[in-house]
Amino acid sequence: MLQAINRLQASRDLLDHAPKAVSRQGSIDLRNVQKVYPNGYVATEDVTLHIPGGSFFTLLGPSGCGKTTLLRIIAGFEEPSAGGVLISGRSIIGVPAYRRPVNTVFQSYVLFPHLNVYQNVEFGLRMRHMKATQRKHKVTDMLDSMQLGTLAKHFPNQLSGGQKQRVALARALVNEPELLLLDEPLSALDAKLRRELQVELLRLQKSIGTTFLFVTHDQQEAMIMSDQIGIMQQGRLQQVGKVHEVYERPKNIFVARFLGLPNIIRRESLTHTPTLPSAIRHITVHPERITFSHGAGHAAANILNGVVRERLYMGAHTDYVVAVENFPDLLVSDSSPNHRSRETGSGVRLVIQASDIVPLEG
């Protein structure tokens, strides 16, 4: 997982220094938002969240956790049962969807099949009765920025999946919304195209400064692309923060497991632990923070004897599943120069430093 998070870091560093729009409109404030349907189903419960204007924020969670419901409430397709919703500091409760400073891009793209690429992108501007010369200038600039200029006369059935997605993004962005909502827009694409569009979305967001609120259930996608993430479970926000903060310090067992951290350990299993509140019963240790011992010299560290059960070669590193007596199996990610050297069935000694232990609620 750590390698996945760092995979686009060079690109993000470049994009972070790209020129940004001065405006920080597009901030979102959810205040104790609740959505209860007539059948009694509680989709969201007491959700309070601030998303700064101009940021790339991702709502992450399993299917049915409430993330899409929140997106629909912000877009105006649903009204909350209780609570407040503000965009750029203005309440939008009761404001119809077409009057909100919001555009939405869906997984299915929803392009007009009888209109070509140029006409699809132009459509929203026509509905606003913008002058033809101004429309032409804005649409042409947007198509060029999305590398769609040569496809302006093509129809949707002549486009690839990635091209359709870029058209959908161009159509949304040409209207200059304060906020762009993206509901799992990349989930139907193959891995290569998905990665390319992740970079394209990052480039766009950083260059234009529009707030992006992205919804996905893909942990790696969220952690690669986002400035901040919010993780949801059963209609409630479990944790919100910068990507590295949430990954390094998951708040509870659900967040740790959802982010793919397999090493959930009972606190009393380890001797050397940081000072923790008595209520904390479980801890986690990231696989890349567990090391193999090559001898003595590990004062104030936990030393565990185990046997390698599985070895998974991952290229730049090797993941090992190690069975430890009276202990859950541990995943160890080794990126040292000799990371391929341990065989299945071999005995090993693991080192866990107290400073690498993360307490978990729940």
Side-chain angles (χ1 to χ4, degrees):
M1 176 68 81
L2 186 61
Q3 286 75 16
I5 297 171
N6 291 331
R7 194 174 296 156
L8 293 182
Q9 190 59 54
S11 297
R12 287 192 63 89
D13 289 344
L14 289 173
L15 291 166
D16 285 341
H17 291 88
K20 299 181 179 65
V22 175
S23 172
R24 275 297 176 249
Q25 288 186 319
S27 63
I28 306 171
D29 286 283
L30 305 178
R31 298 178 179 175
N32 307 107
V33 171
Q34 185 173 20
K35 180 64 180 180
V36 182
Y37 288 97
N39 63 2
Y41 175 70
V42 179
T44 65
E45 186 172 1
D46 197 30
V47 174
T48 295
L49 174 65
H50 171 72
I51 299 174
S55 63
F56 196 126
F57 189 97
T58 297
L59 280 174
L60 179 64
S63 298
C65 71
K67 57 188 187 296
T68 296
T69 299
L70 283 180
L71 204 74
R72 290 177 60 81
I73 287 173
I74 295 168
F77 305 138
E78 302 265 6
E79 285 293 330
S81 305
V85 181
L86 293 85
I87 296 178
S88 302
R90 304 184 301 272
S91 174
I92 56 169
I93 297 298
V95 177
Y98 67 89
R99 291 185 55 194
R100 299 187 182 195
V102 174
N103 271 50
T104 306
V105 177
F106 300 97
Q107 177 183 338
S108 57
Y109 315 139
V110 200
L111 300 179
F112 299 115
H114 62 291
L115 302 180
N116 63 29
V117 168
Y118 185 98
Q119 292 165 335
N120 262 282
V121 176
E122 182 192 35
F123 182 80
L125 302 180
R126 276 184 174 274
M127 293 300 98
R128 291 163 51 189
H129 306 291
M130 183 178 289
K131 292 181 179 180
T133 53
Q134 191 176 1
R135 290 202 311 267
K136 182 177 180 180
H137 176 73
K138 288 178 67 67
V139 173
T140 301
D141 283 352
M142 180 56 65
L143 291 178
D144 288 344
S145 71
M146 296 293 288
Q147 301 176 25
L148 291 169
T150 59
L151 302 175
K153 295 183 179 180
H154 285 57
F155 286 85
N157 63 359
Q158 299 173 297
L159 304 177
S160 68
Q163 291 166 342
K164 290 177 183 177
Q165 184 60 283
R166 295 209 304 275
V167 174
L169 286 166
R171 186 176 63 183
L173 289 169
V174 78
N175 293 304
E176 299 180 351
E178 295 178 23
L179 170 62
L180 184 64
L181 307 177
L182 302 111
D183 191 4
E184 305 217 30
L186 309 183
S187 60
L189 305 179
D190 63 67
K192 180 177 182 295
L193 184 56
R194 192 167 184 166
R195 183 56 47 80
E196 290 174 357
L197 282 180
Q198 286 173 356
V199 175
E200 184 66 20
L201 278 174
L202 278 171
R203 184 191 68 79
L204 272 171
Q205 196 277 323
K206 294 299 181 184
S207 64
I208 65 179
T210 299
T211 307
F212 278 25
L213 176 53
F214 192 87
V215 162
T216 184
H217 62 273
D218 187 307
Q219 300 95 321
Q220 289 193 7
E221 184 168 84
M223 298 181 79
I224 286 171
M225 299 177 69
S226 312
D227 298 317
Q228 289 186 308
I229 58 176
I231 299 180
M232 294 191 68
Q233 179 196 29
Q234 296 180 345
R236 287 183 171 272
L237 275 172
Q238 298 295 313
Q239 188 169 358
V240 176
K242 295 180 180 179
V243 172
H244 70 276
E245 293 172 348
V246 176
Y247 178 75
E248 293 288 340
R249 309 292 296 185
K251 181 179 179 180
N252 55 38
I253 292 175
F254 171 82
V255 172
R257 285 179 173 160
F258 189 78
L259 294 179
L261 303 178
N263 300 329
I264 310 297
I265 308 166
R266 292 187 67 86
R267 174 183 177 176
E268 62 267 21
S269 300
L270 298 179
T271 304
H272 298 285
T273 61
T275 301
L276 302 175
S278 59
I280 298 297
R281 298 179 58 192
H282 291 87
I283 57 179
T284 188
V285 184
H286 289 70
E288 61 271 16
R289 299 294 174 81
I290 303 175
T291 59
F292 291 98
S293 172
H294 300 286
H298 300 290
N302 298 277
I303 308 296
L304 305 174
N305 294 313
V307 176
V308 174
R309 285 207 307 115
E310 298 179 35
R311 183 178 70 170
L312 307 171
Y313 176 65
M314 308 296 286
H317 69 283
T318 301
D319 286 346
Y320 294 93
V321 178
V322 179
V324 182
E325 186 177 359
N326 299 322
F327 215 72
D329 288 354
L330 293 177
L331 181 68
V332 183
S333 185
D334 185 7
S335 58
S336 65
N338 63 337
H339 63 84
R340 294 179 295 168
S341 63
R342 296 168 184 84
E343 300 292 338
T344 302
S346 63
V348 293
R349 299 179 75 209
L350 304 179
V351 180
I352 300 176
Q353 300 289 344
S355 58
D356 291 326
I357 293 172
V358 180
L360 299 174
E361 298 176 7

